Amino acid sequence: MSSKRFSEFLQLIYFRPSTNQSKDSVYFRDGVRRIDFVLSYIDDKDGEKKQDRRKVFEANLVAAGLELETEDKSESEDGKTYFLKIHVPWEVLATYADVLKIKVPFKTNDIPDKKDVPMSWLCTPYRLPEHVMQPEPDYFTATFDKSKIDFFLIEDKETFFPPSTRNRIVYYILSRCQYSKEDKDKKGIKRLLNNGTYIAAFPLHDSRYWTRSRDANCDSERYALYKYWARFSRFYKEQPLNLIRKYYGEKIGIYFAWLGFYTEMLSYAAVVGLLCFIYGVASFDENIWSKEICNETIGGQIVMCPLCDKKCGYWKLNTTCSSSWQSYLFDNTATVFFAIFMGIWVTLFLEFWKRRQARLEYEWDLVDMEEEQQQLQLRPEYEIKCTHRRRNRVTQEMEPYLPLTSKCARSVLSGATVLFWMCLIIASIIGVIAYRLAVFAAFASIMKDSPTNKLDVVGSLITPQFATSVTASCINFVIIMVLNFLYERVAIKITDMEVPKTHVEYENKLTVKMFLFQFVNYYSSCFYVAFFKGKFVGYPGDYAYMFGKWRNEECEPGGCLIELTTQLVIVMVGKQVWGNIQEALVPWLCNWWVSRNARNHPESLYSRWEQDHDLQTFGQLGLFYEYLEMVIQFGFITLFVASFPLAPLLALMNNILEVRVDAWKFTTQFRRPVAAKAHSIGAWDEILNMIAVFSVVTNAFIVSFTSDMIPRLVYKYAYYQGAEGSMEGYINSSLAVFNITDFKPENRPDDSENPDWYRDYRNPPGHEKPYIHSMQFWHILAAKLAFIIIMEHVVFVVKFFVAWLIPDVPSDVKARIKRERYLIQEYLHNYELEKLKIQLSQNGPNIEQCTCPTTAATPVKLEVLSDCLT
């Protein structure tokens, strides 16, 4: 670095004396230059190496064109933290806006908006003020070109690029700036944060969230977001998506757009699910089979086989009266309708989201932001770790790459690690199943003469089955949370080990790993109850055993559907409650503890950068966890919705709260994230489509094999002996008789009655083929398989037809995109033509003296950051 440049650097970062300017400001002390980024650090006793790194790093930042100003530790609230404020001047902004292909306005949009929707006044209570919904005019935009400054609508260079774009450019420079003179591979603010050279790096919020900034030049967008968006009293209002995008960037904006749209679509599913539940309540009296179970002369006279060996005794069928009535609320004719409806709803949701996303892509200038642009922005970690170089076939430039052998080895190790953890989850689920089998007999013997049986209201509900199911579900939930906590760190480590090339590739790899794990972790217990419990129990005298020790569980006469409902509610609601506590309470407590000494300071003492420094960091993967939470919830309300029609209603209530919790968290509890672009929800879109297809299959199987709907229909239309189809006698038809003298000694309970019943379709004792499946069993199995095939085909045909019928991009958006591309070509042509005319008019007299060179000049390649640092 030249002595002149170094002296300029010292002038820019010297410690300025205190002035009367309010410290709650987003400007340098001159009141003119805006603070675009802040770095903080503490001088350690053994911090000589860190000091050298900072000196080199900050000198290189100045060489790259950034302007710095340092706040001495004596000015900070704790008396030991330095704050380095960074301003990016116009020349640097223009240079990197060109490099990053940022779109900027060149003409006001001249396409008129569509006419108002009829009856739009009904939505007035849900609307926000226009200045909040549309913080900027609508423009046609084009990719910024530094050589064509006068082509764009630049009124004020200081405000032309919004703060989100400015901090994105600064972070791009910080991520690629060297901090060592000897080793060129040592660069990037991330590594400096990891090794403690700096303790924080963040862009500033523009004001306190509860009041406007006193600076008239500050827009106080954070205050507007809190006032109109992040307060819980605004739960019924629309979201100011354009303001969110302007303040936080497109990536966060697209998340809230998706979350809001998902919540809106959930309202329709919630209404239909509630109607199905109301139908179950309204048709309670038509539940003939439950009446038979509860009838003393029918269910009271049927003695059932013991549910476990030795310790469990015989029991009367009417003891399951309550669970039978409860099961009917979710296991009725409306269940089939709702399962089919949800298969179509999920298609409508995904197709309409594509249209909404296409509109946002156009409005937010993301139409041409293809993945090739992302490929140009390699992860700094990839550039550092990949020491090999090869020539890019497209750009003909040397670039870092990971050898195929190394890539394969890393992928195999990563895949083996993921597989190991998935097996660990399955092993834990098997452990929970073993717990259920082991403690059921214990609960049965304990509750046999338990005082709870004498309670008027809940006595009949507290059964061994209920106690086993609830405790097992709670244990399973705790295991899920613990494994989830551990695996998150493992997934990040093995994704780092794979060294993905770009940020998009990194997020996609991590998304797949995390979702595969979460899918097994959260859904495996529900799959067990839905498709395995009670399906492989054998029959009295020849029971099936797990590991040859524990007798497999049976479903109650009311079926396993009510237990699947219990499992779904505990895991789904438990996860949502725990997630909201983690998201809201933990950051608030952390911030309260950090700022306990400073929160009462006036703004003249408690600076804007210190206020933000005391907030929590929103990590690079923060948004990833928000998506993951919602996609797991999406799986619950689609994969198992046939067992619990109220699941969409619970999800809707959670999401209404979730939108405001996330908004409150972003606005009040976290530092301002670095803005990032994204034109879609990324890999989550494919995952949602996969869940949507899989949900049709799971719901068809739930209706067929977990619900009692098909056996009841077969009995009503094929086996009822009366003139018209009825459900009278269904309970007797669904039970088989067993002679207790055929019990093995190790299975026979101490007390005995005769005859004995069990739930299955088998031939009675005395038949030429006793205890073999009867013809009714095969008729029911055929009906179940036929229902699965018919339901799947009907739903899939409707899904594909709806997907074909609804175009992914609205017609008016297509027209606007074509109009914008046409205008760009026309305006650029006219612009170049005008420039040529001006040049010709200026050089007209000397035009004959001009001679053309015989050889073309060699183009000069400019590597912006490197050239600045040499």
Side-chain angles (χ1 to χ4, degrees), residues 101-296:
K101 309 298 180 187
I102 293 172
K103 286 191 171 185
V104 294
F106 70 92
K107 183 185 184 303
T108 304
N109 194 333
D110 59 359
I111 300 179
D113 292 329
K114 286 187 174 182
K115 295 181 180 179
D116 292 336
V117 179
M119 308 289 286
S120 61
W121 56 270
L122 291 173
C123 298
T124 302
Y126 312 107
R127 302 291 184 196
L128 289 174
E130 187 64 22
H131 73 276
V132 177
M133 291 301 297
Q134 301 292 340
E136 294 179 314
D138 192 10
Y139 293 108
F140 286 123
T141 59
T143 303
F144 185 80
D145 188 340
K146 190 178 178 182
S147 64
K148 299 181 176 66
I149 293 289
D150 50 342
F151 175 73
F152 303 101
L153 298 178
I154 303 176
E155 296 179 1
D156 183 354
K157 289 183 178 180
E158 292 301 317
T159 59
F160 181 65
F161 292 106
S164 58
T165 301
R166 297 173 71 100
N167 71 57
R168 180 179 160 219
I169 289 173
V170 175
Y171 189 74
Y172 182 86
I173 297 172
L174 292 174
S175 299
R176 288 157 176 79
C177 197
Q178 289 179 222
Y179 59 84
S180 174
K181 293 180 180 179
E182 294 80 17
D183 190 348
K184 292 184 178 180
D185 287 336
K186 290 184 176 180
K187 56 184 177 180
I189 188 64
K190 278 189 179 179
R191 297 182 74 177
L192 291 174
L193 290 170
N194 290 336
N195 61 33
T197 303
Y198 292 98
I199 57 175
F202 53 93
L204 285 181
H205 284 295
D206 61 0
S207 67
R208 297 190 176 196
Y209 67 85
W210 65 86
T211 184
R212 289 185 179 278
S213 173
R214 293 185 180 182
D215 194 330
N217 295 323
C218 186
D219 293 331
S220 297
E221 290 174 344
R222 185 191 187 191
Y223 167 73
L225 285 169
Y226 177 73
K227 180 180 179 181
Y228 294 105
W229 177 52
R231 296 165 67 179
F232 295 102
S233 59
R234 299 279 179 172
F235 74 92
Y236 62 94
K237 295 283 188 179
E238 60 185 336
Q239 296 188 85
L241 293 177
N242 289 317
L243 184 57
I244 297 169
R245 173 247 181 169
K246 182 185 176 186
Y247 192 75
Y248 290 114
E250 288 79 4
K251 192 170 186 177
I252 290 176
I254 208 88
Y255 163 73
F256 279 104
W258 177 81
L259 179 59
F261 184 80
Y262 171 47
T263 303
E264 181 183 340
M265 290 295 291
L266 267 179
S267 62
Y268 303 108
V271 169
V272 176
L274 182 60
L275 291 176
C276 291
F277 179 75
I278 292 173
Y279 170 82
V281 175
S283 59
F284 224 47
D285 290 338
E286 300 175 14
N287 184 6
I288 297 175
W289 53 94
S290 291
K291 291 180 179 179
E292 291 184 349
I293 290 174
C294 299
N295 194 317
E296 286 293 335

Side-chain angles (χ1 to χ4, degrees), residues 300-448:
Q301 299 301 316
I302 296 177
V303 180
M304 302 294 294
C305 285
L307 295 173
C308 64
D309 295 338
K310 287 293 183 181
K311 294 183 180 179
C312 297
Y314 298 97
W315 52 283
K316 298 291 183 67
L317 182 61
N318 64 349
T319 58
T320 63
C321 177
S322 298
S323 62
S324 176
W325 283 106
Q326 294 164 18
S327 179
Y328 176 77
L329 293 174
F330 308 109
D331 188 6
N332 52 63
T333 310
T335 301
V336 180
F337 165 77
F338 192 60
I340 296 173
F341 168 81
M342 286 302 293
I344 299 171
W345 173 87
V346 74
T347 304
L348 291 172
F349 163 64
L350 294 173
E351 291 302 317
F352 283 124
W353 166 245
K354 289 179 185 176
R355 291 172 62 84
R356 179 75 175 117
Q357 186 171 264
R359 188 176 297 279
L360 288 174
E361 282 183 28
Y362 169 74
E363 292 176 353
W364 292 356
D365 303 321
L366 302 170
V367 172
D368 297 323
M369 200 203 85
E370 300 296 337
E371 298 305 323
E372 289 89 21
Q373 269 191 44
Q374 299 290 332
Q375 301 299 326
L376 295 174
Q377 301 174 25
L378 301 179
R379 292 175 67 239
E381 295 86 351
Y382 180 83
E383 296 178 281
I384 293 167
K385 292 181 180 179
C386 296
T387 56
H388 297 79
R389 295 287 188 274
R390 68 180 176 187
R391 190 174 300 279
N392 188 303
R393 295 180 181 179
V394 178
T395 63
Q396 292 300 305
E397 296 179 2
M398 298 300 292
E399 66 175 12
Y401 82 101
L402 197 65
L404 183 61
T405 53
S406 176
K407 185 181 292 186
C408 290
R410 292 167 188 265
S411 297
V412 169
L413 182 58
S414 172
T417 306
V418 175
L419 187 61
F420 168 77
W421 277 85
M422 291 174 68
C423 292
L424 188 63
I425 300 169
I426 294 173
S428 69
I429 296 301
I430 293 174
V432 172
I433 295 171
Y435 163 84
R436 300 171 72 112
L437 302 180
V439 303
F440 178 78
F443 277 129
S445 60
I446 291 171
M447 293 184 174
K448 196 170 185 181

Side-chain angles (χ1 to χ4, degrees), residues 670-720:
F670 283 101
R671 296 171 187 161
R672 187 173 184 172
V674 178
K677 279 190 174 290
H679 63 86
S680 68
I681 61 175
W684 298 111
D685 195 23
E686 294 301 320
I687 290 174
L688 291 173
N689 278 287
M690 181 196 74
I691 293 174
V693 172
F694 196 38
S695 68
V696 177
V697 179
T698 56
N699 282 301
F701 272 85
I702 287 173
V703 172
S704 292
F705 288 97
T706 310
S707 162
D708 269 2
M709 179 60 60
I710 303 301
R712 290 199 293 262
L713 291 176
V714 170
Y715 174 79
K716 182 176 181 179
Y717 295 108
Y719 283 89
Y720 179 66

